[in-house]
Amino acid sequence: MKLLHTADWHIGRTLNGYSLLDEQKYAFTQILKIAQDEQVDGIVVAGDIYDRAIPGTDAITTLNEMFKELNIDHRFPIYAVSGNHDGAKRLNYGRDWMEFNNFHINTLLEEAFHPIETDDTQLFLLPFFDPMDARVYYQKQGMDEEDVKAIKNIGEAMNLVIADMVKLFDNDKKHVLITHFAVSKSADDKIDLTSETTSKVGGLETLTAKQFDQFDYVMLGHIHTKAASPSDNIRYSGSPVKFNVKEAKIKANKGVYIVDTNKKPDKADFREILPQTDLIVLKETWETLLDPEFYSQQPVRKDWFAITIKDFDRTKHVHTNVRAQLQDIYGTVVELDYDNIEREVTENNLENINQLSNEETVDKFFQSITGNQLSTEQKTIVDDIFLELERGE
């Protein structure tokens, strides 16, 4: 079976207020062409199809047109799961009649235990879920109440889920898993979540490759770069578009994987996707940025720029509209930052809040107000609140 593996479309995403819909449409046209050129048997979208649980009308219209073009106009089967950014119940609407046209989308845990069967492959579509979802599911299955309560983290929940999937294996077929989680090579390895939150709420903590070793191939979503793939047969396709400065700094190209279940994975399986408008990251002094010899070497007025001005003395530029002056030269500046002595001192003395999980942020705020840490009961309440927010229901 030959499949195109893509993920993390995040339709509706913006970059500091700039819409990325045109970029996403441009990437989609390349995905479609690759699928046609490769004559694939289906297209996998491994989660985070939308950027948020309640997408805007433009995002809905855009995605509907994309899926229509793939599935109806060109008759490609689609195998998709919901990610942590998707509204699972909303995305589940229409699922039953979509299957009549070979459009398979799983957004609820219980749906993952009904593999899609082809002549030579079993496809298991496992959507993003959290420990609470697993507890509810296994309680409905009649699991002992104490065993249900023992499911405290996503690792324990995943072990149960995979064990039940393995019971469904047809030994005469290949077994492919499509899912949306952070998976590392081992428990000792840490992976950069790129444009994803570092929060552990809702099961975002890292799973390990060993947990999936009974599958012939695992197609992952959630991490936005293929460089995070833990092994040759457990891979991230990465997102088709650069979503922030952090991703723009990563050298790994954007693209999709072509997966043939009858062949061993190979580096040549990757197909690059080129941006319509690239995101260029610059970190230079003010003098350098205004030097024609420097900016003449840049794709000015063609690509987007994220600029950090080094050693910038604000007192010398009180009457200067810095952004306007840079935009006159470079065109669209989607992000402007300053790297100066004052900021360096601040950053050396304060934790970067972007590196804290949601619950850690709440805990530190609580400490700053009360002088005490959150109790176990309070932490549980905070965790449950963020789980509900993640679901967006």
Side-chain angles (χ1 to χ4, degrees), residues 191-251:
I191 55 177
D192 189 345
L193 296 184
T194 327
S195 63
E196 282 296 337
T197 175
T198 55
S199 171
K200 293 185 179 180
V201 171
L204 291 181
E205 68 263 34
T206 302
L207 299 167
T208 62
K210 185 173 177 56
Q211 292 175 276
F212 303 92
D213 61 7
Q214 294 182 80
F215 288 92
D216 295 293
Y217 198 93
V218 180
M219 301 185 192
L220 294 171
H222 187 54
I223 311 302
H224 293 181
T225 171
K226 67 184 180 71
S229 300
S231 70
D232 287 340
N233 66 326
I234 304 177
R235 284 173 165 175
Y236 289 101
S237 66
S239 60
V241 170
K242 296 176 184 177
F243 291 125
N244 57 31
V245 173
K246 205 171 185 181
E247 289 187 38
K249 290 179 179 178
I250 295 175
K251 300 302 181 183

Side-chain angles (χ1 to χ4, degrees), residues 291-311:
D291 184 351
E293 187 175 343
F294 173 78
Y295 65 69
S296 64
Q297 304 298 315
Q298 309 300 323
V300 297
R301 303 193 171 279
K302 176 181 178 293
D303 290 333
W304 289 341
F305 288 86
I307 298 175
T308 299
I309 309 175
K310 292 168 56 178
D311 306 322

Side-chain angles (χ1 to χ4, degrees), residues 341-385:
I341 296 175
E342 179 182 341
R343 177 179 171 181
E344 288 175 0
V345 171
T346 301
E347 288 182 345
N348 285 333
N349 286 280
L350 294 175
E351 289 186 87
N352 184 353
I353 196 169
N354 291 325
Q355 301 303 315
L356 299 179
S357 68
N358 290 327
E359 63 269 50
E360 287 171 335
T361 302
V362 173
D363 191 24
K364 287 191 176 296
F365 176 76
F366 185 79
Q367 287 183 54
S368 69
I369 300 298
T370 67
N372 299 312
Q373 290 185 325
L374 291 171
S375 67
T376 301
E377 182 179 357
Q378 289 169 327
K379 287 180 179 179
T380 300
I381 293 172
V382 170
D383 185 76
D384 288 343
I385 289 172

Side-chain angles (χ1 to χ4, degrees), residues 277-295:
T277 306
D278 206 354
L279 177 57
I280 309 300
V281 180
L282 299 177
K283 186 175 182 180
E284 302 290 345
T285 63
W286 178 249
E287 291 73 23
T288 299
L289 290 167
L290 268 57
D291 184 351
E293 187 175 343
F294 173 78
Y295 65 69

